[in-house]
Amino acid sequence: MSDMLAVVLIAAAWSGVAGAVCAAVAWRVRSASIRVALGLIAAAAIAGVLSGVVGTSRAMFLSDHDLRVVMVVCAVSGVVSIGCAALMSRVVVRAAQGLRELAGKIGGRTTVAALADGPRELRDVGTELARSHERLHAAQQREQHLERSRRELVAWVSHDLRTPLAGLRAMAEALVDGLAEDPRRYHQRMLAEVDRMTVMVDDLFELSRIHAGTLQLSLQPVGVRDLVSESIAGATEIARSRNVTVDGCIDAGLEVKADPGALSRVVGNLVMNAIRHTPDDGVVVVSGHHAGAMVELSVTDACGGIDDADVDRVFDVAWRGDQARTPEPYAGAGLGLAIVKGLVEAHRGTVAVANHLGGCRFVVRLPAQP
Ligand SMILES: Nc1ncnc2c1ncn2[C@@H]1O[C@H](COP(=O)(O)OP(=O)(O)O)[C@@H](O)[C@H]1O
Ligand SMILES: [Mg+2]
């Protein structure tokens, strides 16, 4: 066997034994901290090299003095190398500690920032954790907002249902006791109250379907001009009674991909609101045109503008501003715009409101029919 082959075999054997011992120790303490794991990896590499050197030196029949020198050199290098490895492993250990702290903050109230330094994979995990925190935070806020509006809805709707019920009861009692001077008028008012309550219950049902996600839309090409004409026609009675003019200016051939029933409810609610909030003899304008891949439908009224503080609240469930709660004939329970928003978003569209020249403008954007 040539000398070189012998050297190779001896070095491989010593290094192999050292590596195997380190691997066995690493396996035994595999649940220990990342610091221990990194230390063992460094130790395996260093011990492998050093034991190879020591083993071959012994086999080379060096003088005792030379062998001692080699041993001292190996011992010193080993200690220095282990020290350097421990220093370098601090980056990974610090990043792992950073990740643990970051994970502990998820879902809490403090802000969570991704890791500033450390190995790329760990920084990526940190970035993902920070994103999850943001998503969770947004979901919590949505949930709280929904919960608050649900509570308000129950309180307000029970008030809104109790008032007409009390009125109905009083009128029915008057009729039963023969105290009603004009029974026909009483019957008419009772009918109007029942109609109002029916609309409110319908709205509640629609809203609960939207919130429960059980809304079934049958999307199809819908001609905007016809749909708006029908909605305006449905509101002519109230518009005429107040002498409000409703103008439509819709681009010819404008089509959206929508559920016709849902869309006409959206336009109907917006037009009805606009007429109700426009003073007598005012003008409401409904317009529609293409805006890129979307269709923009807007309803502009002359309500005098919505307070800046209220602009964000008009779409909240049951929000009705500071209007008196014993309402005018066409007032609802504050559900109309929440339904509009729910239906528009179910179409992957958006709705927004902004003040515009002594009034306000509701803008609905829906995907155009390609
Ligand atoms: N076109 C509008 N102009 C001014 N204010 C509006 C308009 N539409 C809605 N609002 C305000 O937003 C509130 C909520 O509207 P909505 O959800 O339709 O409920 P409701 O019509 O039952 O009051 C209204 O009570 C009103 O204060
Ligand atoms: Mg309304």
Side-chain angles (χ1 to χ4, degrees), residues 129-203:
L129 284 177
R131 279 204 202 115
S132 307
H133 171 76
E134 272 161 32
R135 280 197 296 268
L136 192 65
H137 189 63
Q140 279 171 341
Q141 286 204 320
R142 265 199 312 277
E143 186 56 37
Q144 278 171 5
H145 184 79
L146 222 63
E147 184 53 40
R148 197 172 55 237
S149 42
R150 233 177 259 140
R151 256 185 277 126
E152 286 175 356
L153 177 69
V154 171
W156 290 0
V157 165
S158 53
H159 170 271
D160 277 28
L161 285 176
R162 227 184 289 129
T163 313
L165 279 174
L168 279 175
R169 186 183 170 83
M171 287 187 274
E173 273 175 359
L175 286 169
V176 168
D177 297 344
L179 298 175
E181 285 168 14
D182 183 356
R184 190 179 150 71
R185 206 169 59 87
Y186 271 60
H187 284 131
Q188 278 170 345
R189 278 179 50 197
M190 288 169 79
L191 213 56
E193 288 296 0
V194 169
D195 284 348
R196 248 171 48 75
M197 286 168 66
T198 309
V199 170
M200 200 189 297
V201 171
D202 279 353
D203 282 356

Side-chain angles (χ1 to χ4, degrees), residues 246-279:
V246 184
D247 277 344
C249 92
I250 312 287
D251 286 356
L254 195 64
E255 279 196 331
V256 285
K257 193 163 183 236
D259 179 294
L263 186 58
S264 81
R265 187 155 195 164
V266 166
V267 177
N269 279 0
L270 291 178
V271 169
M272 197 61 129
N273 275 353
I275 296 172
R276 269 179 46 214
H277 293 95
T278 294

Side-chain angles (χ1 to χ4, degrees), residues 45-62:
I46 295 162
V49 173
L50 295 189
S51 46
V53 171
V54 172
T56 40
S57 307
R58 281 167 55 106
M60 281 161 45
F61 311 110
L62 297 178

Side-chain angles (χ1 to χ4, degrees), residues 1-16 52 56 59-60:
M1 190 165 31
S2 76
D3 285 352
M4 192 48 76
L5 182 60
V7 166
V8 168
L9 289 179
I10 292 170
W14 278 83
S15 304
T56 40
M60 281 161 45

